[in-house]
């Protein structure tokens, strides 16, 4: 943004009505004038929003007395206790260094269950004064510690890698698994109708729910020849029924957009459940980025070792939030103080501003494993090749692109079907 390489999308957001989308759905792609994410102008849009929650083995859950999806944390705790009494593994998980601390998944869900999700996002986005060390997050860490001490995770959880945890769950070891919808196809192939999904509930009955949800993210180059057409594509893929269907068929995750639009039809029941859950999270404005993504180093240097120590009895809940951070946030010119607050380092003010430089931003995320351009481009090529040319509502008879309410918003011609404006430093994906 600082060098003017990315186009500001605020005018398109106003014209197409994107500001009416759930605020949390767009916050990951908003950046203010100081280069801080989470608020300010919109510089990108998301395609295919992944979603996290709780997968469960239906047969084992029934054995543990679960007759319906838990509506509160207390109800979930009751099933865990009964599963343990039945000699089952209540929660399958991974927490090995090679895969990263998978216990960060239940921890973040507990954080959002005991407190609001907005402050969690603010800390991930490194907003001034934001802190991870709050009373509700301490309560979440204490609850996770209670699960560990009760033996609800496998004894060897610190040695279990990601792929092994999923394989063991699909093989019938573990009643529950905290994970994301990117595993839907594998779960469906191995378990069929025996796998289910639910959003982790609030601590209070009827309370709002939240989940980690990150999209494949695309921006428009500032000098793009067909920027209006690219913006129309962003709106079309989020709001048009055919485009949303392709989005789900190819990506398997929620297409995003307004929460009152119908959920695309799918054949796999587990995918239908996660898609419906995505609308619930959107309605509650509960999309969160991942706490593991706050900086490039924080997952490997902070959360993973501290969660492993929590399992091994070398850390406690009180020390977890404050210690789960690298010594400095060098990649962003920020440091965390003893309370986990985000503050600008006085000697690195210039580095902090580098977040506003798109090339540097992408370089930082690439080093953290955030950049997944090839699959996204393949997805977009399919969208263009199969639907873009044939869709009858792309342009009016006069060649003017229409928004979903049939109002002219841009000047595009038949060349729209051939445009390629998604290059440059703006194609990134965020994931845990």
């Amino acid at each position: 943004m600082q060098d003017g390489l990315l186009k500001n999308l605020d005018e398109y957001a106003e014209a197409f009505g994107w500001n009416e989308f759930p605020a949390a759905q767009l916050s990951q792609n908003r950046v203010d004038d100081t280069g801080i994410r989470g608020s300010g102008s919109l510089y990108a849009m998301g395609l295919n929003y992944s979603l996290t929650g709780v997968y469960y083995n239906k047969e084992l859950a029934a054995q543990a007395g679960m007759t319906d999806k838990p509506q509160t944390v207390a109800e979930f705790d009751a099933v865990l206790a009964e599963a343990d009494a039945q000699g089952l593994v209540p929660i399958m998980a991974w927490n090995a260094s090679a895969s990263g601390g998978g216990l960060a998944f239940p921890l973040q869900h507990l954080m959002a269950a005991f407190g609001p999700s907005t402050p969690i996002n603010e800390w991930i986005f490194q907003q001034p004064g934001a802190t991870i060390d709050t009373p509700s997050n301490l309560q979440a860490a204490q609850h996770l510690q209670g699960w560990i001490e009760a033996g609800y995770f496998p004894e060897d959880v610190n040695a279990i890698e990601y792929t092994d945890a999923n394989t063991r769950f699909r093989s019938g070891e573990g009643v529950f698994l905290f994970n994301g919808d990117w595993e839907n196809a594998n779960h469906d192939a191995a378990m069929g109708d025996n796998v289910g999904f639910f959003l982790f509930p609030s601590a209070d009955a009827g309370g709002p729910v939240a989940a980690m949800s990150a999209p494949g993210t695309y921006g428009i180059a500032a000098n793009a020849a067909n920027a209006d057409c690219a913006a129309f594509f962003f709106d079309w893929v989020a709001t048009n029924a055919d485009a949303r269907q392709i989005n789900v068929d190819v990506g398997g995750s929620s297409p995003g957009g307004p929460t009152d639009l119908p959920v695309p039809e799918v054949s796999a029941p587990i995918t239908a459940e996660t898609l419906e859950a995505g609308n619930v999270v959107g309605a509650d404005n509960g999309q969160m980025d991942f706490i593991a993504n706050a900086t490039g180093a924080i997952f490997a240097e902070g959360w993973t070792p501290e969660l492993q120590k929590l399992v091994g009895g070398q850390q406690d809940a009180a020390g977890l939030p404050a210690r789960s951070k690298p010594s400095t946030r060098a990649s962003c010119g920020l440091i965390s103080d003893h309370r986990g607050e985000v503050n600008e380092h006085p000697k690195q003010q210039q580095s902090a501003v580098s977040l506003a430089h798109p090339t540097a931003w992408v370089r930082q995320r690439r080093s953290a494993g955030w950049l997944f351009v090839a699959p996204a481009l393949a997805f977009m090529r399919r969208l263009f090749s199969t639907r873009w040319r044939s869709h009858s509502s792309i342009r009016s008879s006069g060649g003017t692109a229409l928004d979903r309410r049939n109002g002219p918003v841009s000047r595009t011609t038949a060349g729209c079907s051939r445009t390629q404006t998604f290059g440059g430093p703006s194609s990134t994906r965020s994931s845990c």
Side-chain angles (χ1 to χ4, degrees):
M1 285 80 66
Q2 186 181 39
D3 290 347
L5 301 180
L6 276 178
K7 190 172 185 64
N8 186 310
L9 304 183
D10 285 349
E11 290 186 3
Y12 294 123
E14 179 66 26
F16 284 112
W18 298 339
N19 293 326
E20 300 170 12
F21 292 8
Q25 189 180 120
L26 303 180
S27 63
Q28 297 181 39
N29 296 323
R30 292 190 181 278
V31 182
D32 67 17
D33 292 338
T34 66
I36 301 297
R37 295 172 63 212
S39 63
S41 292
L42 187 68
Y43 283 91
M45 288 290 284
L47 283 78
N48 217 250
Y49 290 77
S50 62
L51 184 79
T52 63
V54 186
Y55 290 87
Y56 65 100
N57 182 308
K58 292 182 179 179
E59 293 180 0
L60 297 183
Q63 184 179 336
M66 182 175 136
T67 57
D68 198 1
K69 297 177 180 180
Q71 300 301 306
T72 64
V73 175
E75 289 184 10
F76 185 71
D77 284 341
V79 181
L80 294 179
E82 182 59 26
D84 185 58
Q86 293 285 333
L88 304 172
V89 176
I91 307 174
M92 176 52 62
W94 69 96
N95 209 46
S97 298
S99 299
L103 293 189
F105 276 58
L107 174 61
Q108 187 169 350
H109 278 289
L110 284 165
M111 287 177 175
F114 288 113
S117 59
T118 298
I120 301 172
N121 275 332
E122 291 173 348
W123 180 80
I124 295 169
F125 298 149
Q126 303 171 356
Q127 295 186 0
T131 180
I132 197 70
D133 198 355
T134 65
S136 61
N137 289 344
L138 173 60
Q139 187 178 5
Q142 290 171 335
H143 211 89
L144 179 64
Q145 184 176 359
W147 287 353
I148 293 171
E149 293 174 347
Y152 290 165
F153 296 99
E155 291 183 357
D156 59 341
V157 65
N158 275 353
I160 300 176
E161 296 188 16
Y162 176 84
T163 53
D164 295 329
N166 283 277
T167 299
R168 288 167 66 169
F169 172 73
R170 289 191 283 265
S171 298
E173 185 180 353
V175 181
F176 299 109
L177 173 72
F178 285 80
N179 208 346
D181 59 3
W182 49 87
E183 287 290 342
N184 280 357
N186 293 327
H187 291 332
D188 180 62
M191 302 176 70
D193 292 339
N194 192 37
V195 63
F197 175 90
F198 58 85
L199 294 167
F200 191 72
S202 171
D204 302 317
V209 293
M212 292 84 91
S213 178
T217 303
Y218 294 86
I220 302 175
N223 62 351
N226 297 288
D228 291 347
C229 186
F232 178 81
F233 171 81
F234 289 156
D235 185 73
W236 176 75
V237 78
T239 61
N240 176 272
D242 290 339
R244 287 167 61 86
Q245 185 68 57
I246 299 172
N247 199 335
V248 170
D249 290 344
V250 175
S253 296
S254 171
T259 58
D260 59 351
L261 294 181
V263 175
E265 295 183 1
V266 292
S267 58
I270 188 62
T271 302
E273 288 189 71
T274 56
L275 290 175
E276 187 61 42
N279 265 8
V280 175
V281 171
D284 284 354
N285 197 36
Q287 285 102 337
M288 299 181 289
D289 202 341
F290 295 76
I291 57 174
N293 287 345
T295 71
I298 198 168
F299 195 27
E301 296 182 8
W303 290 117
T304 296
E306 295 306 319
L307 286 167
Q308 289 175 335
K309 291 176 184 177
L310 189 65
V311 171
Q314 301 175 22
Q315 179 59 278
D316 60 17
L320 183 63
R323 294 288 301 171
S324 295
K325 55 184 177 61
S327 57
T328 62
R329 297 190 172 189
S331 64
C332 303
L334 302 171
I335 62 170
S336 296
D337 68 10
H338 69 286
R339 289 188 54 80
E341 294 184 8
V342 177
N343 298 294
E344 187 172 337
H345 194 293
K347 295 183 179 180
Q348 298 190 31
Q349 294 181 355
Q350 185 61 41
S351 297
V353 179
S354 71
L355 278 177
H357 193 304
T359 303
W361 189 85
V362 170
R363 188 164 53 246
Q364 291 163 6
R365 269 60 186 177
R366 182 185 293 114
S367 66
W370 283 28
L371 197 58
F372 296 90
V373 177
L377 290 179
F379 164 62
M380 296 183 71
R381 282 198 297 271
R382 173 171 174 176
L383 283 172
F384 272 100
S385 63
T386 60
R387 297 284 179 166
W388 188 265
R389 297 175 188 271
S390 61
H391 197 273
S392 60
S393 65
I394 287 181
R395 56 182 182 274
S396 70
S397 58
T400 302
L402 306 179
D403 71 1
R404 61 180 178 275
R405 293 170 299 279
N406 295 322
V409 296
S410 62
R411 297 183 301 279
T412 45
T413 66
C416 180
S417 64
R418 299 187 300 273
T419 186
Q420 296 181 1
T421 59
F422 300 91
S426 54
S427 299
T428 65
R429 180 182 173 99
S430 168
S431 74
C432 179

